[in-house]
Structures are given as C-alpha cells and as structure tokens.
Amino acid sequence: MADVMQAPQLPQPQHDDQSSMAPPQTTPTSASAAAAAAARRPPRKSTLTQQQKNQKRQRATQDQLITLEVEFNKNPTPTALVRERIAQDISMTERSVQIWFQNRCVH
C-alpha cells in the first residue's frame, strides 16, 4: 500500500479489551485543526507601550496630506529610504507614512 501523509495524531489510551474494536482515526478538518493549533498557541503580546496605547491616533494635517498625495502620484510604492525622507519632511513617523501609503493603495 502507498505511504500517505497524515496529520500527527495524539496517542490514544490503549485498553486491551477495546483496542480491536476502536473506530479508525480520522484526519481533522482544516477548521478544527486551525482551532486546535490556536488553542495550543500562546496569546500574542502587544508590542505597544502603555503610552502608545493611551494615545489617540493623530490625523495628518492638510499640508502633510498634500505632500503625501504628491509623493504618491510620483511613486505609489516608495522604498523605506524614500518613506524615511518623506517622514522627516512632514514630521511624521516612517511607520505612519508606510501605513498611509498602504491604505492609499487600497482605495
């Protein structure tokens, strides 16, 4: 018979009187496998500091938006260096500029 790859299964307790009558193991569905994997995975830890959690999001000013739009029209996918330059020019973080470009490309 050909070797077939099966999902790893947890060992079942063996009872001498029922081992031959036990139903065959079935492979879990992808949804239940994903749920089982999520149950074993530790919860994600936030990478935000307490100060960042307490801060409200800051909207871009009209001047910042104009600069971002101009740069987007030149190149909708700027490199990290270009994003850093833009961020310095308009007093935003590079991450905020990156997110703005990502959100702008979706629309």
Side-chain angles (χ1 to χ4, degrees):
M1 196 178 249
D3 289 333
V4 177
M5 294 292 292
Q6 290 186 352
Q9 297 174 354
L10 297 174
Q12 297 293 322
Q14 294 293 322
H15 300 287
D16 292 338
D17 57 333
Q18 294 180 354
S19 61
S20 61
M21 299 178 72
Q25 291 288 338
T26 57
T27 306
T29 63
S30 60
S32 63
R40 291 189 303 262
R41 188 178 312 133
R44 291 185 179 172
K45 293 185 179 179
S46 174
T47 57
L48 298 176
T49 65
Q50 192 61 42
Q51 182 181 5
Q52 289 170 322
K53 288 178 186 177
N54 293 336
Q55 287 179 346
K56 293 191 177 189
R57 287 188 293 178
Q58 196 167 12
R59 288 183 168 263
T61 66
Q62 195 63 37
D63 290 339
Q64 290 171 327
L65 286 175
I66 290 169
T67 301
L68 290 165
E69 290 285 349
V70 167
E71 293 294 335
F72 181 85
N73 290 332
K74 290 182 200 174
N75 179 14
T77 55
T79 64
L81 288 174
V82 173
R83 288 193 309 265
E84 286 178 22
R85 180 190 52 78
I86 295 168
Q88 287 177 349
D89 290 349
I90 62 176
S91 301
M92 288 177 72
T93 64
E94 189 270 337
R95 179 72 176 140
S96 296
V97 172
Q98 179 184 25
I99 291 170
W100 186 90
F101 272 86
Q102 288 173 341
N103 291 338
R104 182 65 170 84
C105 286
V106 172
H107 295 100

